[in-house]
Amino acid sequence: MRRLILISFFVFWINNSFSQTVYSNYLDMTSEWRYYAGGFGYSSYYTIYFDGYETINGYVYYKKYRKTLSHTSFFRNTTTQLSLHGPYYIREDVSGKFYIYDQNNDQDVEEFDNQQIINAQIGDIFPEFGATCDVESFETNYLGSVPLKRIKSNIDCDNCGVIEGIGKVGPTCEQGIEANTYLKCYSKQGVEIQFGTPMDCDSFPVPVRESLNVDDNETAKEDFILYPNPTKDIFTIMSNSLSAENKYEIHTVMGRKVKSGTITSDEQIIDISSLSNGVYLIKIIGNNTSKIRRLIKK
């Protein structure tokens, strides 16, 4: 009976507190991926970015676009083409999973599970659908000051593996016959990380956002990050726009508030050494809005 009451409370709390909320522990409107693919007679540069939101079946999705610049050479003739594809729809849940919306079947399809990357240990089966290899090494990459875990198989190169919060960098279990698609640049909130042989990230197609309610600079200013995440005892809420008008709350995933306070600095340090290890939801409240991030204490 107690279990049923807890589950009912959790569902009620989620529906009333988090409805129409864009979870953005990893993703936000400033996230951009720049990929390169090349082979005999062709090369392709494409940028994936978000532009606006869409509510489908009660969930809020980012509207995702892919802008591609391709070059095709045949003998002495070279053709250049710029194309735009989308929108596609992607969202993140509180556990760090990414879902894409299957428009044909009107349902979510799990695209990427960040928790599998965080939990991966050497010798585990590589956490990718249909993988035929094991995890053989992992490392920490930094997006600014934010640490992200990256795992690799026996293919060890600067453009290989999968990285937490970002996705597939390059080949995981096997190389392609002619060429692979490589992630060359990833950026978020104005911070950039590059992979493999350096390329000029400005040579990729530039996103042109048309959503009237989206301003990249303002979005970056209003957003916030938690670091380190995961953490052991303390973490920092960092933003350029938080002020004393903002308050924070820490909830368990069952909805119980375990800590709260007022933001007094743009780098607010919070001690959670007294809390048990596990997953928590950090809620920032202010200006009639609220934003939520996931934090892991271990």
Side-chain angles (χ1 to χ4, degrees), residues 239-257:
S239 173
N240 291 326
S241 64
L242 294 179
S243 66
E245 297 179 357
N246 295 101
K247 300 183 183 301
Y248 71 87
E249 294 179 353
I250 302 178
H251 297 259
T252 68
V253 293
M254 292 300 292
R256 182 169 64 92
K257 183 166 67 175

Side-chain angles (χ1 to χ4, degrees), residues 87-110:
Y88 311 101
Y89 302 96
I90 183 171
R91 69 178 180 90
E92 176 183 0
D93 71 8
V94 294
S95 70
K97 289 184 180 179
F98 297 168
Y99 295 90
I100 57 174
Y101 174 64
D102 182 347
Q103 301 179 56
N104 294 325
N105 297 305
D106 188 28
Q107 65 181 15
D108 269 344
V109 176
E110 183 180 316

Side-chain angles (χ1 to χ4, degrees), residues 30-88:
T30 66
S31 302
E32 295 180 2
W33 297 256
R34 290 171 172 80
Y35 292 90
Y36 171 78
F40 180 75
Y42 81 94
S43 61
S44 181
Y45 302 77
Y46 61 94
T47 302
I48 291 177
Y49 64 96
F50 300 146
D51 183 12
Y53 305 99
E54 186 80 19
T55 301
I56 305 172
N57 297 333
Y59 294 109
V60 181
Y61 295 80
Y62 293 101
K63 297 170 71 174
K64 184 174 76 171
Y65 294 85
R66 185 179 78 244
K67 193 172 183 180
T68 304
L69 178 64
S70 58
H71 305 280
T72 304
S73 299
F74 184 72
F75 291 105
R76 295 184 178 180
N77 297 320
T78 300
T79 302
T80 300
Q81 182 177 7
L82 183 65
S83 58
L84 180 65
H85 305 270
Y88 311 101

Side-chain angles (χ1 to χ4, degrees), residues 236-243 263-268:
T236 300
I237 301 175
M238 186 174 73
S239 173
N240 291 326
S241 64
L242 294 179
S243 66
I263 303 294
T264 59
S265 169
D266 57 6
E267 293 193 22
Q268 181 81 28

Side-chain angles (χ1 to χ4, degrees), residues 96-161:
K97 289 184 180 179
F98 297 168
Y99 295 90
I100 57 174
Y101 174 64
D102 182 347
Q103 301 179 56
N104 294 325
N105 297 305
D106 188 28
Q107 65 181 15
D108 269 344
V109 176
E110 183 180 316
E111 182 183 54
F112 192 67
D113 187 345
N114 285 288
Q115 196 61 48
Q116 288 187 338
I117 309 302
I118 294 172
N119 295 338
Q121 299 296 319
I122 293 175
D124 291 350
I125 296 176
F126 205 91
E128 184 178 50
F129 180 75
T132 57
C133 61
D134 296 337
V135 176
E136 295 204 5
S137 64
F138 57 83
E139 61 188 54
T140 301
N141 294 158
Y142 287 87
L143 181 64
S145 60
V146 179
L148 299 172
K149 184 176 179 179
R150 180 176 174 184
I151 60 174
K152 297 180 180 180
S153 66
N154 60 313
I155 305 174
D156 187 14
C157 65
D158 291 338
N159 256 117
C160 296

Side-chain angles (χ1 to χ4, degrees), residues 17-22 224 246-247 282-293:
S17 299
F18 291 161
S19 60
Q20 306 303 309
T21 298
V22 179
F224 67 93
N246 295 101
K247 300 183 183 301
I282 314 301
K283 187 174 184 180
I284 301 298
I285 307 166
N287 298 324
N288 298 317
T289 63
S290 64
K291 294 184 178 182
I292 300 163
R293 300 290 187 277

